[in-house]
Amino acid sequence: MSRSVPSNGVSRRTLLRAAGAAGLAASTGVLAGNIYAPAVAGPAPKIRLAWTEVAACHSPLGFGIAKGIYAKHNLDVELFYQGASGQTLIQALATGKADAGAGLIGDWLKPLEQGFDVKLFVGSHGGCQRLLASQASGIKDVAGLKGKTIASYDVVSPPKVAFQVTLAKAGIDPETDVTWKVVPFDLVGEAVNRGDADVAAHLDPWAFSIEKKFGFLKLADTQTGVYEGHTCCVLGANGPFLTANKDAVRRLAEANIELHEYTANHPDEVARWYFETLKPADLTQAELTEILGTLVYHNHPIGQPLVDQIQKSAEDLKLVKVLEATTDPKAFAERVTVNLLA
């Protein structure tokens, strides 16, 4: 099968290598220009891609179909709604309901440590989790969290895990110096607003909504502070599917980089598609545009930069005792990723 070359004479391998070397596709200066042509001739291979349609940060995946970006890479992508939980993403891939999927690093790594047969192959973006304090709490910064109560929606929710790292690196023991309170997913903001907890740890777009609705103060997120320059969401592929369809997965990575780069430059267009197609509750089109405009959609590492970021995440999760003390972060990162540039 032949591979196409962009019209400017730069091979797609060169583009991917440039994106990977910098960890930012924007550094290539060409990915946002829609320069790709179909990579192979013949029928487009079908890929069932799991996504969380209620998560605004996943909207580029659906937009990629509507915009024809996947088709341009000669892929027939079908979206599989896997629910709002990382565990249902794991189940979708494990049971063969999906071939690949997008999820938070905090959801991926523990199952991968336990031997789940998936390889991570490209990052999507950074910054879709927020730590928010009520005005009544009097908390002004992370240092003020000692002795306080933090609400989240699960005992091992990704926001809880992410901000346990933030706490630990600020010198606060995330297990003994704060109290974690589990509340229903849709009531995290309400619980903090009525004083049942001081702080909310939640995901966008819900975190964005409660920050605006209740006038909460953002203490931290997953694109600044200890997460500066770090991706929070990555794509993984089912092991057997990857083995049988490596070139298709490589083109899926290319499409992922292009469509997220497009979102970085056109958040209003993607927000309009998301608003009109999915009609998310309690969010206006302007609010969706603001959410997408604040996410770090230029951050989509591939190749060695992805390995490096997974290693850093593994080190963080060991710090807060999510991963086993015996896990070697470097060896682990190399095992659970695939280098599509090799």
Side-chain angles (χ1 to χ4, degrees), residues 100-101 119-123 234-237 249 252-253 301-303 306 337-338 340:
K119 299 292 186 185
L120 306 178
F121 61 92
V122 68
V234 296
L235 268 63
V249 174
L252 182 63
I302 189 170
L306 177 62
T337 58
V338 60
L340 295 176

Side-chain angles (χ1 to χ4, degrees), residues 231-315:
T231 192
C232 67
C233 292
V234 296
L235 268 63
N238 175 283
F241 180 84
L242 173 65
T243 299
N245 301 276
K246 189 171 183 179
D247 188 66
V249 174
R250 182 182 291 110
R251 285 182 280 120
L252 182 63
E254 292 175 354
N256 182 77
I257 290 172
E258 182 178 352
L259 66 90
H260 282 86
E261 198 58 29
Y262 190 91
T263 302
N265 295 312
H266 305 86
D268 53 337
E269 185 179 345
V270 179
R272 182 170 63 253
W273 172 85
Y274 185 56
F275 182 78
E276 294 175 351
T277 305
L278 300 176
K279 298 177 173 56
D282 301 323
L283 288 169
T284 67
Q285 183 175 323
E287 288 172 331
L288 287 168
T289 299
E290 185 177 349
I291 293 172
L292 297 183
T294 61
L295 294 176
V296 188
Y297 274 125
H298 289 298
N299 191 351
H300 24 70
I302 189 170
Q304 188 58 47
L306 177 62
V307 177
D308 294 342
Q309 291 216 21
I310 298 303
Q311 178 180 337
K312 182 181 184 300
S313 293
E315 291 168 352

